[in-house]
């Protein structure tokens, strides 16, 4: 859950930069880095900011995600509650060569997805128009503006969960030190913070994969 305000993140960065008054790095500049950092996190970890929504299907197998979507995470179920399972496209191609011809199904049983075409997925059997399913897709965090960040009564909160605050800070510091890259020490600091950013996201990915693997093994008979 996201509870940390953007202003808190910027103040922490300014303190670490020994620039608490935002002289060398104005707050707007750090905010630009924050917005870039949020998008960078989602680029590495698409599941860091996603939506679980009811999706109205087009008639037929081919489906296109809404414009706000970055990529598909998962197709979960029919609105009726029946699950929809992921299957490799080759399995459908080999078993049902004409599987793309259907466009009237009232229940979907499977979906397939290619990472190289991130905003398109296919359903089997092809549903009728407006058939409703639940899908999860990744979205980009909203760009924060300084007026909202400095709003005393309702300050803007970071879109990403609090567990991503440290990677956000490391990315902001990477960008900040890159500003003075003609100095060797700043190059070293920039590289160090970028590596820390990537390592934290990589470590989380590894842990998540291990947990998912353990859960799947427990479910096997």
């Amino acid at each position: 859950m996201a509870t940390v305000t953007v202003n808190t993140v910027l103040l922490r960065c300014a303190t670490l930069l020994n620039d608490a008054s935002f002289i060398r790095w104005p707050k707007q500049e750090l905010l630009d880095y924050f917005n870039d950092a949020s998008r960078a996190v989602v680029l590495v970890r698409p599941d860091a900011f996603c939506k679980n929504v009811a999706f109205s299907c087009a008639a037929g197998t081919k489906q296109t995600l809404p414009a706000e979507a970055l990529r598909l995470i998962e197709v979960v179920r029919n609105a009726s509650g029946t699950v929809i399972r992921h299957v490799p496209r080759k399995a459908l191609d080999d078993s049902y060569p004409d599987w793309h011809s259907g466009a009237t199904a009232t229940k979907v049983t499977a979906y397939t997805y290619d990472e190289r075409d991130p905003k398109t997925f296919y359903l089997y059997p092809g549903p009728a128009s407006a058939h409703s399913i639940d899908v999860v897709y990744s979205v980009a965090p909203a760009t924060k503006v300084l007026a909202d960040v400095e709003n005393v009564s309702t300050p803007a909160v970071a879109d990403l969960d609090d567990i991503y605050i440290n990677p956000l800070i490391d990315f902001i510091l990477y960008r900040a030190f890159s500003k003075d890259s003609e100095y060797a020490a700043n190059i070293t600091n920039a590289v160090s913070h970028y590596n820390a950013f990537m390592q934290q996201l990589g470590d989380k990915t590894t842990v998540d994969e291990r947990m998912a693997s353990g859960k799947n093994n427990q479910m096997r008979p």
Side-chain angles (χ1 to χ4, degrees), residues 42-209:
V42 173
L43 182 64
V44 179
R45 287 294 306 251
D47 61 319
F49 194 55
C50 54
K51 287 187 176 182
N52 187 327
V53 302
F55 177 85
S56 182
C57 298
T61 59
K62 185 177 180 180
Q63 307 296 322
T64 302
L65 291 172
E68 66 173 351
L70 298 177
R71 52 151 289 176
L72 182 72
I73 300 294
E74 185 180 14
V75 177
V76 183
R77 62 178 186 175
N78 294 275
S80 63
T82 307
V83 300
I84 302 175
R85 299 183 181 278
H86 176 266
V87 298
R89 192 181 72 186
K90 188 176 186 303
L92 291 172
D93 292 346
D94 291 346
S95 300
Y96 312 102
D98 61 346
W99 68 278
H100 287 292
S101 62
T104 60
T106 58
K107 182 175 73 173
V108 175
T109 60
Y111 79 96
T112 188
Y113 174 70
D114 190 332
E115 299 281 355
R116 296 169 298 180
D117 188 10
K119 296 191 177 184
T120 304
F121 62 101
Y122 295 85
L123 300 174
Y124 174 79
S129 177
H131 177 72
S132 183
I133 61 175
D134 289 351
V135 303
V136 181
Y137 56 77
S138 176
V139 295
T143 298
K144 305 300 182 184
V145 297
L146 194 58
D148 294 335
V149 170
E150 296 182 331
N151 188 307
V152 176
S153 57
T154 56
V157 174
D159 289 330
L160 305 184
D161 285 348
D162 292 351
I163 58 172
Y164 292 104
I165 295 303
N166 284 337
L168 288 173
I169 289 174
D170 274 311
F171 189 92
I172 293 169
L173 295 179
Y174 147 67
R175 281 291 181 82
F177 283 117
S178 296
K179 180 178 180 177
D180 292 326
S181 58
E182 65 270 23
Y183 300 106
N186 285 339
I187 295 176
T188 300
N189 286 331
V191 171
S192 176
H193 284 293
Y194 182 78
N195 288 340
F197 166 78
M198 293 299 295
Q199 181 178 0
Q200 290 173 87
L201 296 183
D203 287 347
K204 186 178 187 308
T205 298
T206 300
V207 171
D208 288 350
E209 289 174 348

